[in-house]
Amino acid sequence: MPVVLVDHVSHSYGRRQVLDDVSLAVEAGHSLAITGKTGSGKSTLLSIMIGLERPSRGAVSLAGVEISRLSRRRAARLRLDHLGMVFQAGELIPTLTARENAALPLMLAGRKGAEALDRADHLLSTLGVDSPDVVAESLSGGEKQRVAIARALANEPAVVVADEPTAALDERTRDDVCDLLYSLPVTAGCALVVVSHDAAVSGRADRALTLDGGRLIESAPVGGVGLP
Ligand SMILES: Nc1ncnc2c1ncn2[C@@H]1O[C@H](COP(=O)(O)OP(=O)(O)OP(=O)(O)O)[C@@H](O)[C@H]1O
């Protein structure tokens, strides 16, 4: 069963149709990239995919649950339990340490502080962050993204969604962060969805789809995930 299933989704803002009968599926252990020009609807599709926005038509399931039908509260709980998010520039809490940032989702999910911090330490060292006590605002761009990836993995999510995860990085750091991100389906067994306008990032996914005129078009099929 796909971990992410977008089933015939259309979406309009007023009279402007942004998504037109979009469908996709991603299985555990596979990656999918979504590309498209500015204004093509990538953020809209992402918001609908993670249940922040309801589609005008169609349905979205995450980890087997139809998130597009849930209340805001239940959708937030589903995200906490099954989804890890990585944003453009880490979006960490600047005054908390790397360790505290990575431990946050665990604490929100009800784990005890010491246990959460231990797991955060373990994740950070696995991901090559050797400064867990440094406050987030003092970390480099690449370190921030590593901490963000640790935070995304904290609750062992079924799916990690990354929105322009390398936009704030130089080329070399971008490639390092990409290596790490695209290793997740294998090392963590999750599904990975990456939204990026950078072909060097989207080209590394098992499959890349492009949004154009509200429709999803195949851009670089390699296998593993598919339109249902
Ligand atoms: N809340 C909203 N209300 C009205 N129109 C919106 C809203 N959100 C997005 N839009 C419009 O929908 C279209 C798609 O926007 P969206 O942000 O999804 O594109 P995008 O591909 O993510 O763009 P970018 O790459 O610049 O972030 C745009 O024309 C935008 O103006």
Side-chain angles (χ1 to χ4, degrees), residues 2-182:
V3 183
V4 181
L5 183 63
V6 174
D7 191 17
H8 296 288
V9 161
S10 296
H11 196 67
S12 302
Y13 293 113
R15 288 166 60 185
R16 164 138 169 63
Q17 183 166 31
V18 178
L19 301 176
D20 180 10
D21 198 22
V22 165
S23 293
L24 62 86
V26 194
E27 308 265 351
H30 294 283
S31 57
L32 170 71
I34 297 167
T35 66
K37 287 190 295 228
T38 181
S40 59
K42 302 182 296 299
S43 303
T44 303
L45 177 56
L46 202 69
S47 298
I48 289 173
M49 201 186 283
I50 67 174
L52 288 177
E53 195 146 8
R54 279 194 191 186
S56 310
R57 260 186 299 158
V60 177
S61 295
L62 210 65
V65 179
E66 199 177 326
I67 195 168
S68 50
R69 289 169 66 99
L70 296 182
S71 66
R72 282 185 177 276
R73 223 177 104 225
R74 282 174 187 252
R77 183 71 216 192
L78 188 72
R79 280 193 293 276
L80 184 62
D81 289 339
H82 296 295
L83 175 78
M85 286 288 302
V86 179
F87 302 97
Q88 213 170 80
E91 273 81 8
L92 304 172
I93 297 181
T95 51
L96 295 185
T97 64
R99 171 189 288 126
E100 289 162 346
N101 268 286
L104 261 184
L106 290 158
M107 295 185 185
L108 288 173
R111 300 264 203 111
K112 291 209 171 70
E115 188 191 329
L117 291 168
D118 274 356
R119 172 151 171 79
D121 273 343
H122 172 70
L123 279 167
L124 289 170
S125 79
T126 309
L127 296 175
V129 179
D130 47 20
S131 41
D133 293 317
V134 174
V135 287
E137 63 193 353
S138 303
L139 296 170
S140 71
E143 286 169 334
K144 280 183 186 149
Q145 287 310 63
R146 283 172 186 272
V147 176
I149 292 169
R151 182 182 58 185
L153 292 177
N155 283 326
E156 297 177 56
V159 56
V160 170
V161 172
D163 186 10
E164 300 284 1
T166 60
L169 305 177
D170 61 38
E171 235 172 69
R172 209 180 122 215
T173 317
R174 174 196 70 190
D175 292 344
D176 287 348
V177 168
C178 269
D179 288 346
L180 195 55
L181 267 180
Y182 283 112

